[in-house]
Amino acid sequence: MNKAFLKNTVRLGIGIGLVVVAAALTGCQMPTVSNDIKFTAPPADADKPLALGNADEAMRFAKDDLVIVTFSGQQDLQTHEERIKEDGTITLQFINSIKAEGKTTGELQREIHKAYVPTFYKRLTVTVKTDRQSYYVQGQVRQSGPKEYLGTTTVLKAIATAGDFTDFASRKKVRLTRKDGTWQIVDCVKASQNSALDILVFPGDKIDVPQRGPFEAW
């Protein structure tokens, strides 16, 4: 073995040894790697859309909607049908004007019942409904326009009734607008892979499928 190489190796070993001894004498510690680093996973529902309530909550009355009020338990009260006036009210027998705009069928039922019972009647069953049973699909679909509401419907099903997406549709930025004006963006690509993301559509809702941008992958 080369004597010069051996000598340099010995010197290097001595140098390292002196550094370790010096560290021990001065109380210094070698850096250590912490095992306490924690990684926070995203919440399980990170991709879950904002809950928008049940069908009753989504279907709020607006001006010009037809309100049908039926009564059970009293023969002198006849079924009342009226479109909501510009001031947002309807006019009922005995109680005159009552605010209907902005209320759900359930809320209006309770309010009408409270107005009649117990002031005019001890017992009365009130049922409120409307004839609005359609939704609207527009934008980059093959057959835009109003679609008849035939029961439980989702965004993807609604778009299918409109002839499906065109070749220029942005499937990740579909806008669902509720009857009351609230809205949210639906990613139909994710919804097609996870049915929990395929949002329910109710009568009076509007679906708008925008055009895809030049560099946007559908």
Side-chain angles (χ1 to χ4, degrees):
M1 182 179 294
N2 189 293
K3 292 183 178 180
F5 174 78
L6 181 61
K7 183 183 292 186
N8 289 334
T9 301
V10 172
R11 288 178 179 176
L12 179 60
I14 294 173
I16 294 174
L18 291 175
V19 171
V20 173
V21 172
L25 292 175
T26 58
C28 296
Q29 296 182 351
M30 300 294 288
T32 57
V33 177
S34 172
N35 293 322
D36 296 330
I37 299 176
K38 297 179 179 180
F39 298 93
T40 303
D45 60 350
D47 287 331
K48 187 176 181 179
L50 180 65
L52 295 178
N54 57 28
D56 186 57
E57 286 301 321
M59 294 175 60
R60 293 186 178 273
F61 286 112
K63 291 182 180 66
D64 201 43
D65 277 353
L66 179 65
V67 180
I68 304 169
V69 186
T70 57
F71 303 95
S72 301
Q74 298 297 331
Q75 294 182 349
D76 57 338
L77 283 176
Q78 303 299 318
T79 297
H80 180 86
E81 296 188 16
E82 181 185 355
R83 291 199 176 274
I84 298 175
K85 296 186 284 289
E86 279 300 312
D87 62 358
T89 67
I90 58 174
T91 303
L92 295 170
Q93 187 177 358
F94 302 144
I95 62 175
N96 296 320
S97 294
I98 189 167
K99 188 76 172 181
E101 182 184 12
K103 293 184 173 66
T104 65
T105 55
E107 290 171 346
L108 188 55
Q109 280 179 186
R110 289 189 291 271
E111 189 165 337
I112 294 173
H113 184 274
K114 185 177 180 180
Y116 277 110
V117 180
T119 304
F120 297 98
Y121 304 99
K122 290 183 178 180
R123 296 174 183 168
L124 182 68
T125 300
V126 179
T127 303
V128 175
K129 60 182 180 180
T130 181
D131 68 342
R132 176 177 283 195
Q133 294 295 318
S134 63
Y135 55 88
Y136 198 89
V137 186
Q138 64 183 17
Q140 292 298 317
V141 291
R142 302 187 187 280
Q143 300 169 7
S144 63
K147 307 300 175 184
E148 185 179 2
Y149 183 79
L150 299 175
T152 303
T153 304
T154 64
V155 171
L156 288 178
K157 288 181 179 179
I159 292 173
T161 65
D164 216 335
F165 296 100
T166 69
D167 295 336
F168 306 100
S170 175
R171 304 190 183 197
K172 295 182 178 180
K173 298 179 181 179
V174 174
R175 180 174 176 134
L176 172 63
T177 303
R178 299 296 187 190
K179 181 181 173 183
D180 63 2
T182 59
W183 60 273
Q184 73 178 109
I185 300 299
V186 180
D187 186 332
C188 288
V189 175
K190 289 184 178 180
S192 65
Q193 300 166 350
N194 182 355
S195 60
L197 303 179
D198 193 9
I199 310 301
L200 286 174
V201 174
F202 302 109
D205 288 352
K206 182 173 68 175
I207 300 169
D208 187 10
V209 182
Q211 183 172 328
R212 189 172 70 251
F215 303 106
E216 179 184 353
W218 66 267

